[in-house]
């Protein structure tokens, strides 16, 4: 069992290249679900907002719960609108610089 991650790379004026890792609970197997983000790369200005679509796709008849979390560097503010999934679905990751 290993934690599944999907990353968003962010570049902006005055902000070093950052990577946000959206992670699912470590007790889940990689063959049970897929985690994707769109867009995977974006550029933010000093005062900016971005919305990232995070998609959780259940695989192989998996019917458990997926809990998401995001690690956000101090240069940004981040909010996952929905963090718990009991089936395939989408959420939005809001990012402010």
């Amino acid at each position: 069992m290993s934690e599944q991650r999907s990353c968003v790379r962010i570049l902006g004026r005055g902000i070093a290249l950052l990577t946000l890792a959206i992670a699912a609970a470590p007790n889940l197997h990689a063959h049970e679900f897929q985690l994707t983000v769109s867009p995977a790369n974006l550029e933010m200005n000093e005062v900016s907002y971005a919305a990232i679509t995070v998609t959780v796709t259940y695989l192989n008849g998996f019917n458990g719960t997926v809990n998401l979390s995001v690690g956000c560097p101090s240069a940004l503010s981040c909010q996952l609108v929905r963090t718990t999934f009991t089936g395939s679905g989408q959420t939005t990751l809001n990012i402010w610089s």
Side-chain angles (χ1 to χ4, degrees), residues 9-28:
R9 285 171 279 295
I10 301 171
L11 180 63
R13 294 186 311 240
I15 300 175
L17 180 64
L18 303 170
T19 300
L20 295 179
I22 299 136
N27 61 333
L28 300 173

Side-chain angles (χ1 to χ4, degrees), residues 77-94:
S77 296
C78 304
Q79 175 200 33
L80 273 168
V81 173
R82 178 179 171 195
T83 58
T84 301
F85 291 82
T86 55
S88 296
Q90 293 184 329
T91 188
T92 301
L93 170 61
N94 295 306

Side-chain angles (χ1 to χ4, degrees), residues 30-71:
H31 68 274
E32 294 174 331
F33 69 98
Q34 180 178 10
L35 186 59
T36 56
V37 294
S38 179
N41 296 288
L42 62 98
E43 185 168 341
M44 295 183 72
N45 298 318
E46 289 178 26
V47 179
S48 189
Y49 164 79
I52 306 293
T53 301
V54 179
T55 303
V56 176
T57 305
Y58 278 40
L59 305 172
N60 302 317
F62 176 65
N63 65 355
T65 300
V66 174
N67 295 301
L68 300 181
S69 62
V70 62

